[in-house]
Amino acid sequence: MEFEDNNYHPDFLELEKDKPYILTLVNVGGRSHDLVGEQFFSSLIIHQIKTSGFSVKSYHVESIFLRPNQKVSIWIVPIKKGEFPFICTLPGHFEDGMEGTIVIK
């Protein structure tokens, strides 16, 4: 998924429950952005988060912050079905339309 200035591309993802994924986030915009979706992140098992030369083993995440040109990969397994919204909480970004939805089937 790419973070562009004031939108996510794509802004809709569909995942399958109990299937492993590597979710790669790349900020191609000129400003910092985040992806905040506490309900989405709580519907996953997170095995690892990796970016620029280091990785974090974590079991609870509420948001991911990316500076311009930064890339983050997250190893996940969705464990809860549902429709989960996510937004950018930086000033003005949500108001300009930076939001999306992830569906877990």
Side-chain angles (χ1 to χ4, degrees), residues 8-78:
Y8 298 105
H9 182 73
D11 62 1
F12 179 85
L13 291 176
E14 191 171 276
L15 307 175
E16 292 182 37
K17 182 178 178 280
D18 299 325
K19 182 177 177 183
Y21 293 91
I22 300 173
L23 181 59
T24 301
L25 310 174
V26 182
N27 186 353
V28 298
R31 301 186 299 175
S32 295
H33 297 289
D34 64 10
L35 186 148
V36 177
E38 186 176 351
Q39 292 178 337
F40 168 65
F41 287 116
S42 68
S43 72
L44 308 171
I45 294 174
I46 299 173
H47 292 284
Q48 179 174 291
I49 301 171
K50 186 174 183 176
T51 186
S52 306
F54 73 91
S55 67
V56 177
K57 300 221 179 207
S58 176
Y59 301 102
H60 180 75
V61 172
E62 294 179 7
S63 67
I64 300 289
F65 176 86
L66 280 83
R67 291 184 174 84
N69 301 311
Q70 188 174 17
K71 176 181 173 180
V72 173
S73 296
I74 309 167
W75 282 254
I76 62 172
V77 177

Side-chain angles (χ1 to χ4, degrees), residues 12 39-40 80-85 100-105:
F12 179 85
Q39 292 178 337
F40 168 65
K80 182 179 175 185
K81 292 181 181 181
E83 188 171 308
F84 305 99
T101 304
I102 297 174
V103 173
I104 301 173
K105 295 172 84 179

Side-chain angles (χ1 to χ4, degrees), residues 3-4 6-8 31-37 64-66 85-100:
F3 293 23
E4 299 170 347
N6 298 327
N7 66 57
Y8 298 105
R31 301 186 299 175
S32 295
H33 297 289
D34 64 10
L35 186 148
V36 177
I64 300 289
F65 176 86
L66 280 83
F86 58 89
I87 64 170
C88 183
T89 61
L90 297 178
H93 295 203
F94 172 71
E95 294 79 8
D96 286 342
M98 198 161 184
E99 63 181 318

